[in-house]
Amino acid sequence: QVQVVESGGGLVQAGGSVRLSCTASGFSFDDYAMGWFRQAPGKEREGVSCISWSGSETYYADSVKGRFTISRDNAKNTLYLQMNSLKPEDTAMYYCAADRDYFALVAGGPQFGYWGRGTQVTVSS
């Protein structure tokens, strides 16, 4: 069974930090680019950060650049997002996604890959 499961979300004060994790199983993790996407109520889904299969390439949305760091541990089939200096506008459901095509992932999400169910991050002012 293919599974992509996010964890680590919760309530945090503005200026604080949280680390999200995404554990994957049922597919060849190191054959897939991975990414984090988020969606707030009434807003469009947006790409937050993506990372290539090897970790050699990364993408960050301008809104999070310098504050968030994406990483992966292929030995553990795990993706991470370290989120620092959080702002209320970071409040959203955060989703983990996988796709063999890194550029397709950066462009908007997986076409032939997988989505997790999401983890909620709420940043209070």
Side-chain angles (χ1 to χ4, degrees), residues 95-108:
Y95 299 92
C96 176
D99 198 319
R100 288 183 178 272
D101 188 334
Y102 171 75
F103 293 101
L105 198 63
V106 170

Side-chain angles (χ1 to χ4, degrees), residues 19-63:
R19 187 176 74 161
L20 305 183
S21 297
C22 171
T23 58
S25 61
F27 63 97
S28 300
F29 184 76
D30 62 1
D31 286 342
Y32 282 74
M34 302 293 296
W36 291 99
F37 297 78
R38 67 186 182 186
Q39 188 167 26
K43 302 292 185 181
E44 295 183 349
R45 186 186 69 201
E46 63 175 335
V48 177
S49 184
C50 299
I51 188 167
S52 63
W53 71 269
S54 66
S56 64
E57 299 176 77
T58 57
Y59 159 83
Y60 295 94
D62 288 343
S63 60

Side-chain angles (χ1 to χ4, degrees), residues 1-97:
Q1 293 182 338
V2 171
Q3 290 189 315
V4 180
V5 182
E6 303 92 338
S7 62
L11 178 65
V12 61
Q13 290 184 308
S17 298
V18 68
R19 187 176 74 161
L20 305 183
S21 297
C22 171
T23 58
S25 61
F27 63 97
S28 300
F29 184 76
D30 62 1
D31 286 342
Y32 282 74
M34 302 293 296
W36 291 99
F37 297 78
R38 67 186 182 186
Q39 188 167 26
K43 302 292 185 181
E44 295 183 349
R45 186 186 69 201
E46 63 175 335
V48 177
S49 184
C50 299
I51 188 167
S52 63
W53 71 269
S54 66
S56 64
E57 299 176 77
T58 57
Y59 159 83
Y60 295 94
D62 288 343
S63 60
V64 308
K65 195 171 297 181
R67 299 189 297 121
F68 293 6
T69 302
I70 192 169
S71 61
R72 64 190 296 163
D73 186 339
N74 287 348
K76 296 181 178 180
N77 286 4
T78 302
L79 174 74
Y80 304 98
L81 185 67
Q82 180 66 46
M83 306 166 67
N84 297 329
S85 301
L86 284 162
K87 304 174 181 179
E89 51 262 46
D90 294 319
T91 295
M93 184 72 75
Y94 283 72
Y95 299 92
C96 176

